[in-house]
């Protein structure tokens, strides 16, 4: 007689996911760190929300035993670089980043060899292997500040985002060798559609992330990291904003300034491709399951971690 193989039944999901996550957080002594590009539900359960710099600073100073990172792989990996003895969980291990993927370590090592006297400044949106090959890490919030601290006669490689690199070159007047990587989300915004939107909303200010292409940035009234954009729209006297970055941030903008209007900038096609498909792999259910199962966990070879830690520490020191 055929008998079906024994499959242990999985515990069902609780009806109150928010309550269950709060219970697990207490039981595990966990902290939930979330990026602004996460689903609103995830943003609402986070202990700390921030841009990449803020999240790194939080990861560097937390005394929790477990870090649940609601973001993408390179962000959780950064938390692990800073916290080798903590359990770092990522709700979906597949949550990668097109920008980090655009800089494979073997090719980057060959690229670096061509510029032996150059200092390597890498945007945090890269893998631990690339961080390990870098001298200083930066984020969109501190890239200009960091480049401005480098002596003028020191040549620089900037990797992996060519758009942020170009923006930093304009802001600092420095010439840098750029790795030609980019973010699939920020390159999807259409200059033509944005100009049309500006005609439709003549009083709206355009606020944009520096990962966007130069043709889009030239229409911006303000350019900054996600945290900087959030602060700007609170302080500005304007009542409406065309938001040229991943629209997840609009959840916080609407909370912070409920009387103001936030218009997501249109992508090239009539798609939802201005939403980061990697960030959006995380869901509240997966976040709960990661805490319940204490997996998926981020791990790193210790030699890579130590090599990647050095430029991270330099960034944290230079951002003070
Ligand atoms: P910030 O978090 O520095 O604003 O960068 C946005 C981003 O693309 C993160 O992946
Ligand atoms: Fe990477 Fe772009 Fe997504 Fe940020 S928005 S995680 S840079 S693909």
């Amino acid at each position: 007689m055929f008998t079906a193989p024994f499959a242990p039944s999985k515990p069902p999901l609780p009806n109150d996911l928010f309550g269950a996550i709060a219970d697990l957080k207490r039981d595990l002594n966990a902290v939930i760190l979330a990026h602004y590009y996460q689903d609103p539900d995830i943003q609402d359960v986070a202990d700390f929300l921030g841009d990449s710099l803020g999240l790194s600073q939080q990861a560097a100073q937390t005394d929790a035993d477990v870090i649940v990172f609601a973001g993408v792989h390179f962000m959780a990996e950064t938390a692990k670089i800073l916290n080798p003895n903590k359990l770092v969980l990522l709700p979906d291990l597949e949550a990668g980043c097109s920008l980090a993927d655009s800089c494979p370590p073997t090719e980057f090592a060959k690229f670096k060899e061509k510029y032996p006297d150059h200092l390597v400044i890498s945007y945090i949106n890269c893998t631990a292997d690339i961080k390990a090959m870098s001298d200083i890490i930066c984020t969109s919030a501190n890239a200009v500040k960091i480049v401005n601290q480098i002596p003028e006669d020191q040549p620089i490689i900037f990797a992996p985002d060519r758009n942020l690199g170009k923006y930093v070159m304009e802001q600092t007047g420095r010439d840098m060798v750029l790795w030609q990587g980019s973010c699939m989300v920020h390159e999807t915004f259409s200059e033509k559609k944005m100009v049309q939107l500006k005609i439709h909303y003549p009083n709206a200010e355009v606020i944009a992330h520096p990962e966007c292409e130069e043709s889009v940035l030239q229409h911006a009234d303000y350019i900054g990291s996600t945290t900087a954009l959030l602060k700007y729209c609170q302080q500005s006297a304007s009542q409406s904003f065309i938001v040229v970055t991943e629209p997840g941030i609009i959840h916080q903008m609407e909370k912070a300034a409920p009387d103001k209007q936030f218009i997501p900038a249109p992508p090239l096609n009539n798609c939802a491709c201005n939403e980061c498909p990697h960030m959006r792999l995380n869901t509240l259910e997966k976040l709960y399951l990661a805490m319940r199962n204490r997996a998926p966990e981020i791990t790193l070879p210790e030699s890579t971690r130590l090599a990647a830690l050095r430029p991270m520490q330099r960034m944290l020191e230079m951002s003070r």
Side-chain angles (χ1 to χ4, degrees):
M1 190 181 76
F2 172 78
T3 45
F6 172 73
S9 60
K10 290 190 186 140
L13 286 171
N15 291 330
D16 176 14
L17 271 180
F18 289 94
I21 288 169
D23 290 345
L24 279 168
K25 214 166 68 172
R26 198 184 47 245
D27 297 348
L28 296 171
N29 186 27
V31 65
I32 302 176
L33 305 183
H35 193 270
Y36 296 120
Y37 296 165
Q38 292 290 281
D39 280 340
D41 277 352
I42 296 184
Q43 294 189 31
D44 291 345
V45 297
D47 295 296
F48 181 83
L49 266 167
D51 63 5
S52 304
L53 178 62
L55 291 167
S56 308
Q57 287 166 332
Q58 284 296 318
Q61 67 191 44
T62 182
D63 54 12
D65 295 318
V66 177
I67 298 175
V68 186
F69 214 115
V72 289
H73 193 277
F74 77 79
M75 294 180 169
E77 201 173 53
T78 304
K80 187 68 183 179
I81 291 167
L82 296 165
N83 293 283
N85 300 321
K86 293 190 198 297
L87 176 67
V88 179
L89 302 170
L90 180 64
D92 190 322
L93 216 46
E94 297 294 313
C97 167
S98 65
L99 179 51
D101 290 347
S102 69
C103 194
T106 319
E107 280 155 50
F108 188 65
K110 283 189 209 144
F111 179 76
K112 243 187 89 168
E113 272 172 23
K114 290 196 273 178
Y115 307 97
D117 57 343
H118 283 51
L119 184 91
V120 179
I121 302 184
S122 294
Y123 187 32
I124 199 164
N125 298 32
C126 64
T127 60
D129 287 322
I130 299 297
K131 288 186 176 76
M133 285 188 249
S134 307
D135 297 297
I136 310 171
I137 302 302
C138 70
T139 74
S140 63
N142 61 18
V144 169
K145 186 175 178 176
I146 285 182
V147 170
N148 273 333
Q149 291 176 61
I150 308 302
E152 291 213 352
D153 57 351
Q154 171 61 62
I156 300 171
I157 290 177
F158 190 91
D161 188 13
R162 62 178 174 212
N163 294 321
L164 177 64
K166 207 152 185 231
Y167 170 73
V168 172
M169 279 167 59
E170 274 160 23
Q171 294 297 306
T172 60
R174 293 290 291 261
D175 196 16
M176 302 193 291
V177 175
L178 303 181
W179 177 267
Q180 294 298 311
S182 62
C183 159
M184 62 189 281
V185 177
H186 287 88
E187 285 209 332
T188 200
F189 295 110
S190 153
E191 183 193 4
K192 194 171 152 209
K193 286 190 183 177
M194 222 182 59
V195 171
Q196 287 165 351
L197 203 61
K198 272 186 83 165
I199 294 167
H200 198 74
Y201 296 98
N203 296 323
E205 279 192 275
V206 175
I207 56 173
H209 195 280
E211 283 177 26
C212 296
E213 287 174 309
E214 198 180 16
S215 58
V216 167
L217 290 180
Q218 70 183 355
H219 299 283
D221 297 295
Y222 181 77
I223 298 169
S225 77
T226 43
T227 297
L229 298 180
L230 180 58
K231 283 191 186 148
Y232 182 80
C233 66
Q234 285 171 265
Q235 289 158 3
S236 165
S238 298
Q239 287 304 303
S240 53
F241 302 87
I242 297 171
V243 181
V244 200
T245 191
E246 216 273 7
I249 182 82
I250 292 178
H251 182 54
Q252 292 307 317
M253 289 175 169
E254 286 173 341
K255 274 187 170 181
D259 298 333
K260 296 188 178 182
Q261 184 187 22
F262 301 98
I263 307 136
L268 281 165
N269 306 311
N270 294 326
C271 57
C273 35
N274 55 350
E275 286 188 0
C276 175
H278 312 290
M279 287 275 183
R280 303 292 179 137
L281 279 177
N282 293 327
T283 61
L284 198 63
E285 282 183 9
K286 288 182 195 169
L287 188 137
Y288 162 77
L289 288 171
M291 293 175 82
R292 190 182 79 185
N293 301 335
R294 296 168 67 85
E297 180 188 358
I298 301 291
T299 56
L300 267 174
E302 185 60 2
S303 55
T304 309
R305 189 191 74 77
L306 285 173
L309 179 62
R310 196 180 37 88
M312 274 300 300
Q313 284 173 330
R314 280 191 83 183
M315 174 189 88
L316 292 170
E317 282 155 19
M318 291 173 84
S319 319
R320 282 196 193 118

